[in-house]
Amino acid sequence: MQQVTIIYRNIPQYRIEFYNLLREGLRKKNIELQLIYGDNPFKGRHDNVHCEWAIFKKNCTFSMGSIYLIWQPCIKEVKKSDLVIVEQANKLLFNYYLMFRKLIWNKKFAFWGHGLNLQIPRASLFNRFKLTYINKASWWFAYTKGISDFLVKQGVDERKITIVQNAIDTKAMNELYHSIPDKEVEDLKAAYHIEKDVKVLIYCGALSKEKNISFLLEAAIRLKSQGHDFRLLIIGDGPLNKQVQKAAADHPWIIHTGPKFGREKALFFRMADLFLLPGAMGLAILDSFAFETPIVTIKYMYHGPEFEYIEEGYNAVVTENNLDDYTGQVSSLLTNPEKSTKLKSAAKQMIEKYNIQNMVDNFIEGIEEALKK
């Protein structure tokens, strides 16, 4: 039995089911999956989970001002691996060991990622450094078609790229969403003193600078001043937690719930009419599809690769990066429910295309091809 090892610095809650399904799928192909993970060096996210069958190795983190490096101590664990898959990130010191290992002993390893850090300028020193070793891997697992196209432009052999079509378990999430009784939704609204006919806007994600939290709050305040009657639910945690807590204290119609997962998260989305995310967007678009809650975002240079899944006006609304256009589009959706209904109707089709099983199948196919080379 061949062995494939995936090393990741942590396991976020949304990724655990992918690993479980990938392990089962590879077993059927007579391939053993070894997953090695550490702890998240970021504070305030609270989305790490543990995996019983995987190997936990505590990350060794070194800080130098605003720069930090991570050493994942697993040299011994990868000795028998036929393929090692790692996140492509400058800060992961083990990746440089894998490059050396490939150079000296021709041991295979693959990058899984974006090619660039999409949340900083492409011309930054960190991204320029990232490009210097973009061709060093034996194989590439690219998040999306756009990432694959970028890699090819950088000289990566397209025959050594797998497009995984990054996703979460949208089908199960949608089933969960529809399984929640109306009475439970009504009870939750009552608990937050939200009257039956009052619109509910929701934000769900990290409370961090790249998510444009200040823009979100300013847009909500402007919409309220224009006479719209709604409540804004802010679900999540992160560095800007205090800013959100203050906004909720100053404006009783802003409700900060903290992070929510699984069925509880689906329940909050059952209350929501629109999903506001005027900042960096990635897998949130799949939350929007799975929970049939139209998302309104902006044109923004720091979106994740999953932004490619958006078809403007069909399954989401993308506005200019200014408050006038953003609030204008949200206002239009609030006063014209038929527009929201059309956006919701696209969700089912998107779920069929973007789901975790398709991602697992793509990943398995790529692993098999990489092992043959």
Side-chain angles (χ1 to χ4, degrees):
M1 181 179 280
Q2 291 178 293
Q3 184 186 77
V4 172
T5 298
I6 294 179
I7 305 171
Y8 227 78
R9 54 188 157 143
N10 69 306
I11 303 179
Q13 186 272 341
Y14 65 82
R15 194 63 86 189
I16 185 65
E17 185 60 15
F18 165 76
Y19 290 130
N20 287 333
L21 292 174
L22 182 64
R23 185 191 189 207
E24 292 173 12
L26 287 173
R27 271 182 177 170
K28 295 175 182 177
K29 303 285 186 177
N30 202 35
I31 300 171
E32 176 193 4
L33 174 63
Q34 177 179 239
L35 174 62
I36 302 173
Y37 71 101
D39 47 342
N40 194 342
F42 297 110
K43 296 181 179 180
R45 293 294 295 270
H46 305 302
D47 62 349
N48 285 4
V49 295
H50 292 286
C51 180
E52 291 183 1
W53 55 266
I55 300 170
F56 175 79
K57 303 287 284 188
K58 186 172 178 60
N59 294 330
C60 300
T61 306
F62 311 92
S63 298
M64 296 184 294
S66 61
I67 299 173
Y68 70 92
L69 303 172
I70 298 173
W71 171 252
Q72 298 156 291
C74 46
I75 292 176
K76 180 181 177 181
E77 285 75 12
V78 303
K79 282 185 177 180
K80 296 181 181 179
S81 295
D82 299 284
L83 175 68
V84 180
I85 303 172
V86 291
E87 176 190 8
Q88 184 223 13
N90 295 344
K91 58 182 165 282
L92 300 179
L93 298 176
F94 196 79
N95 292 8
Y96 305 109
Y97 165 75
L98 291 175
M99 292 181 214
F100 175 78
R101 183 174 176 260
K102 177 176 179 286
L103 180 66
I104 303 301
W105 296 293
N106 198 31
K107 296 288 187 178
K108 293 178 183 177
F109 83 96
F111 280 138
W112 175 13
H114 303 165
L116 290 175
N117 183 338
L118 300 179
Q119 294 182 350
I120 61 175
R122 294 199 170 201
S124 68
L125 178 62
F126 290 100
N127 272 330
R128 291 203 301 271
F129 177 67
K130 210 167 190 181
L131 292 177
T132 64
Y133 60 85
I134 202 168
N135 283 287
K136 300 300 183 184
S138 314
W139 201 265
W140 255 99
F141 292 90
Y143 269 47
T144 61
K145 174 67 163 57
I147 298 299
S148 175
D149 292 343
F150 171 77
L151 293 173
V152 171
K153 288 180 181 178
Q154 303 305 314
V156 179
D157 187 342
E158 63 181 341
R159 295 170 297 180
K160 295 182 179 181
I161 300 173
T162 296
I163 302 169
V164 302
Q165 201 165 265
N166 195 41
I168 49 181
D169 200 352
T170 50
K171 288 187 174 182
M173 291 165 65
N174 186 252
E175 290 172 4
L176 185 62
Y177 176 83
H178 284 288
S179 72
I180 297 171
D182 290 342
K183 178 65 165 59
E184 199 170 340
V185 180
E186 292 167 8
D187 290 345
L188 185 61
K189 278 192 170 185
Y192 283 101
H193 307 290
I194 302 173
E195 295 178 5
K196 185 178 179 180
D197 296 327
V198 172
K199 297 287 186 181
V200 175
L201 311 182
I202 195 169
Y203 167 86
C204 183
L207 304 184
S208 53
K209 184 179 179 181
E210 65 270 14
K211 297 296 185 180
N212 238 353
I213 298 299
S214 295
F215 187 109
L216 169 71
L217 297 172
E218 288 176 29
I221 291 169
R222 179 177 292 194
L223 285 164
K224 199 70 175 179
S225 70
Q226 292 171 352
H228 292 287
D229 189 14
F230 64 86
R231 303 292 181 271
L232 173 63
L233 297 176
I234 299 182
I235 297 176
D237 204 347
L240 300 184
N241 193 42
K242 289 184 178 179
Q243 180 183 0
V244 171
Q245 288 177 340
K246 184 179 186 307
D250 292 343
H251 306 283
W253 47 270
I254 296 177
I255 302 167
H256 179 217
T257 69
K260 302 292 179 184
F261 303 105
R263 189 179 187 281
E264 193 175 15
K265 178 178 174 180
L267 174 57
F268 275 90
F269 267 93
R270 275 292 306 275
M271 289 199 296
D273 296 283
L274 295 175
F275 185 176
L276 306 190
L277 204 172
M281 189 187 68
L283 288 171
I285 187 61
L286 297 183
D287 281 344
S288 169
F289 297 156
F291 297 140
E292 300 179 22
T293 308
I295 198 166
V296 186
T297 188
I298 63 171
K299 295 176 182 178
Y300 197 56
M301 65 185 298
Y302 300 125
H303 282 308
E306 297 82 7
F307 187 71
E308 295 172 36
Y309 304 163
I310 283 183
E311 297 175 44
E312 156 60 11
Y314 174 66
N315 59 23
V317 173
V318 184
T319 81
E320 297 298 325
N321 188 353
N322 63 69
L323 282 169
D324 289 340
D325 194 33
Y326 192 80
T327 56
Q329 295 276 17
V330 174
S331 178
S332 178
L333 289 168
L334 288 172
T335 54
N336 297 281
E338 64 276 7
K339 291 185 178 181
S340 293
T341 301
K342 288 180 181 179
L343 293 169
K344 287 181 181 181
S345 67
K348 283 286 185 183
Q349 296 178 48
M350 297 299 102
I351 290 168
E352 288 301 316
K353 186 174 182 180
Y354 304 113
N355 60 70
I356 199 169
Q357 191 58 59
N358 287 349
M359 181 183 176
V360 168
D361 292 344
N362 293 336
F363 225 99
I364 290 173
E365 183 179 343
I367 286 173
E368 289 184 297
E369 289 298 315
L371 289 172
K372 288 177 188 176
K373 299 296 183 182

